[in-house]
Every structure is written in C-alpha cells, then in structure tokens.
Amino acid sequence: MKKLLLTTACLIAFVGNMAAQTVKAEIAPFKIDANGEATLSMTLTNSVNVYSFQFDLYLPEGVSLKLSKRGNITEPTSYAKDPDRLETYSIQGSVHDGFYRFTATSYEEAGGNDGEIFQFFVEASDQVSTGPQVAKLDGMVFSLSQNGGAGTGLELPAYEVTVTPTIPVKVTSAGYATFSWPKTLDFSGCDGLAVYRADKVEEGQLTTKLVEDGIVPACEGVLLKGAAGTYNPETTDKIGTFGTNEFKGTATETYTVNSTGIWAFANLDGDKGFFPVKSGVEIPMYKAYLQTTANVRGFLLDTETDGIRDMQLNGRGELYNLSGQKVDGQQHKGIYIRDGKKFVVK
C-alpha cells in the first residue's frame, strides 16, 4: 500500500578529542516507508580505548524505535552488531518523554578501530509530517577508564540533523488508484498525476471533478490517474477548494462492507471502474470507495477521454437473458442483453 520516505540530509556525527585522541560516533542516513520499518546503524571510531558510554536518541514525530512483543527496547530490536569487537558489551535501554536513553558497558575495552557496533530497528506511522524535521543524539558520554575516575570521561556536544519525510503513493499499471490519508495532502507537486473527487451520481452516471489546486483534506477519498509509478504528495496546513465529494475514505481504519450500495475501484478484464462489493468484504486502509443506491451494475471509466478536466463514469445497466429475465451473479455461456445491446458469453 501507501509509503513514507525518511532520508537524513547528512551524517549524524559526534567527535571528541582528548590529548589528540579521537572518539567519534555516527549514525548513517536511512530511509523508511510509511507504516514500515528500517534499520538505523551506529558506528564507533576511537583511537583510545572505550569501556562504556551513554547517549540519548531523539527521532522525528511519527518515527519511533520498534519495541519487542514484551515492550523491551533492547531485545531484540537493538543489539551489538560486531561481536568480535564488543564481545562482552551489554546495552540497556529505556524510554523517556520524547527520547530513548542507552547505556553500553563492557569489562573489556573497545579499542582503536572503527565499524558498526549497534543497530536499532525503527518504525514509522501514518502521523508523520513532510518537510524538514530534526533527529538528534545528545548526552553522549564516553568512559575511557575501566575503573572510572577524574579525567577519564569524555563528553561530546549535542548534534542535530535535518530529516525530510515524504509519503509515496503508488499508481499501478492500470493507470488508476484510489487513496485517502489521515492528514491533509498537497498533490500539486506530483507531475503527471491527476486527482479527482466524486462530484455527483445522477441518472446512472458518476461525475468526477479534477482537484485543480491539488489540496485533498484529511480522510477524504480520491481517485488518482497517472502513469504507473510512485508519487510523493506533501502534508500541508493549506485549506483548498475541494468541494462536494461522494467518495468515502478509509484513512483511519479498514472498512468491512455491511450493506448494499458499496462500490470499489477494480480493473475487471480491462473494464476499469467502480463495481459493487459484497457484504463482509474488507476495503483496505488508505483507499476510497463509493456509496450509492444507483440502479446499475458498475460505473465504467471512459478510456477514450483524457480526463484532464473531469471524467464521467458511465453506469453499466442491468443484465437480462433473451427471455427478458434479470440475471444476477455469474453469467453462463449464452446470449445476454445489456443497455439494449446483445453480447455473447463464451
């Protein structure tokens, strides 16, 4: 389904010097999908032996460390990556208001080399906002002596890094998709992607209107048209001129159909449009559907029009056999009549 891209603009780095001896901790750039997971890698470079250290990790809103089923943040979601280098290290973690604190200790030194020492599994929700945000490491303190003592602690300054989340939206090879999101989105920067609301259902036709400013309010359902690929709308505080909308969104939860008159988008043997959904079927989150009592069997897209301004989805009429009897459900071989025209099912 729908995705969030989180990319750090540069490397998080802390460098401390004591008598020309250097200790440096780094977190490499990472990417993450909306409602997905990613691995945050931490490396340590030190020309002096390090026996223990502590640091606080701050992540942008909507991004958090993935906890184990028991709620433990260090097992198995974060761990020593290089056992040859940190064989006797242990790491303790705790959750605080807005940050995570970690303390790593050892009975043997981690001496003069570099490389990845810890990994942290992070996850993103759908509550992230796009645009520049901040991740931070703070409270970095290294112990340069196994027994501690004056002058053996090295404290590094806090460092902030800009992170930029985006929300990938996928259009399949059918050239269409439905979408909804729990925050207001701006699609104006998505070149080649047209966004439609359902203006009205009248006389067996569904009329959709182009959302010209690209602003889609939170939780509204829309129909997207574009080449197959991934597009990246932005969250926004803008108030657009969206207008009436007959589409319903599933931005906050899956919808289980429990009544008639529910229509979902599908590509059935080349027929693209909205078709009735049976009771009990689940419509996934972040999609859109149509609710109407129109007496048709489906709303088909007119693939002959470019849909630049608006589109009409023509209602597919009821199906009858040659005896004039209405046919519901699966059609068997034979001749049928729809909208006054005969066709053959082989």
Side-chain angles (χ1 to χ4, degrees):
M1 211 277 324
K2 318 314 131 268
K3 290 182 176 180
L4 170 119
L5 181 63
L6 180 65
T7 307
T8 54
C10 60
L11 204 63
I12 300 179
F14 292 85
V15 181
N17 291 280
M18 175 180 282
Q21 295 175 324
T22 299
V23 177
K24 179 173 64 175
E26 298 178 335
I27 295 179
F30 67 96
K31 298 179 180 180
I32 191 168
D33 296 339
N35 301 311
E37 302 175 8
T39 301
L40 186 155
S41 174
M42 182 176 181
T43 61
L44 176 65
T45 302
N46 53 303
S47 63
V48 59
N49 292 339
V50 171
Y51 289 87
S52 65
F53 55 93
Q54 177 178 292
F55 61 93
D56 297 335
L57 173 65
Y58 295 79
L59 295 172
E61 181 180 359
V63 181
S64 59
L65 282 182
K66 182 174 174 16
L67 303 184
S68 68
K69 292 181 179 179
R70 295 183 297 175
N72 191 318
I73 70 172
T74 60
E75 180 187 0
T77 59
S78 55
Y79 56 90
K81 174 65 176 176
D82 187 346
D84 292 333
R85 184 178 176 202
L86 300 173
E87 185 173 1
T88 60
Y89 258 74
S90 65
I91 182 168
Q92 301 294 322
S94 56
V95 181
H96 297 262
D97 185 15
F99 68 94
Y100 305 89
R101 173 165 292 169
F102 293 93
T103 302
T105 57
S106 176
Y107 293 106
E108 296 180 5
E109 73 276 2
N113 55 12
D114 56 18
E116 186 178 47
I117 55 170
F118 295 115
Q119 286 186 337
F120 304 99
F121 297 111
V122 296
E123 57 187 357
S125 73
D126 58 12
Q127 295 301 310
V128 294
S129 296
T130 58
Q133 299 184 52
V134 171
K136 181 172 69 172
L137 284 176
D138 200 358
M140 291 281 286
V141 179
F142 289 87
S143 175
L144 308 183
S145 170
Q146 187 171 4
N147 299 318
T152 63
L154 179 61
E155 184 174 349
L156 305 184
Y159 186 87
E160 293 185 350
V161 62
T162 300
V163 298
T164 306
T166 59
I167 302 173
V169 178
K170 288 186 176 180
V171 174
T172 67
S173 58
Y176 294 90
T178 64
F179 190 70
S180 60
W181 195 251
K183 289 192 172 187
T184 298
L185 295 180
D186 183 356
F187 285 84
S188 62
C190 299
D191 293 340
L193 184 69
V195 183
Y196 297 92
R197 61 179 174 85
D199 185 58
K200 61 182 178 180
V201 179
E202 191 175 70
E203 297 180 355
Q205 288 187 327
L206 166 63
T207 301
T208 63
K209 293 290 186 179
L210 182 69
V211 181
E212 296 191 27
D213 59 10
I215 306 299
V216 177
C219 300
E220 291 283 358
V222 290
L223 176 66
L224 307 176
K225 179 182 180 182
T230 301
Y231 300 84
N232 300 116
E234 298 181 352
T235 55
T236 182
D237 294 327
K238 295 178 182 177
I239 299 176
T241 56
F242 191 70
T244 303
N245 189 26
E246 297 294 329
F247 287 138
K248 311 294 183 183
T250 58
T252 58
E253 61 183 356
T254 298
Y255 173 59
T256 301
V257 177
N258 57 11
S259 65
T260 58
I262 304 298
W263 312 71
F265 185 83
N267 181 8
L268 302 179
D269 298 326
D271 286 338
K272 302 172 185 177
F274 287 83
F275 298 91
V277 182
K278 294 181 179 180
S279 181
V281 172
E282 287 191 350
I283 298 177
M285 286 183 67
Y286 314 118
K287 297 293 185 181
Y289 63 92
L290 181 68
Q291 185 171 10
T292 178
T293 57
N295 188 27
V296 294
R297 293 176 63 88
F299 295 95
L300 300 184
L301 288 166
D302 184 357
T303 56
E304 299 301 320
T305 61
D306 59 16
I308 293 176
R309 296 294 302 178
D310 58 65
M311 295 188 295
Q312 276 196 336
L313 284 76
N314 300 312
R316 172 183 279 183
E318 299 292 351
L319 188 67
Y320 297 89
N321 60 26
L322 293 179
S323 299
Q325 298 170 317
K326 183 178 175 181
V327 177
D328 291 317
Q330 184 177 3
Q331 299 114 45
H332 301 284
K333 293 181 179 181
I335 301 175
Y336 296 89
I337 300 173
R338 176 187 288 131
D339 298 329
K341 299 179 181 180
K342 293 182 181 180
F343 69 97
V344 178
V345 174
K346 298 181 180 180

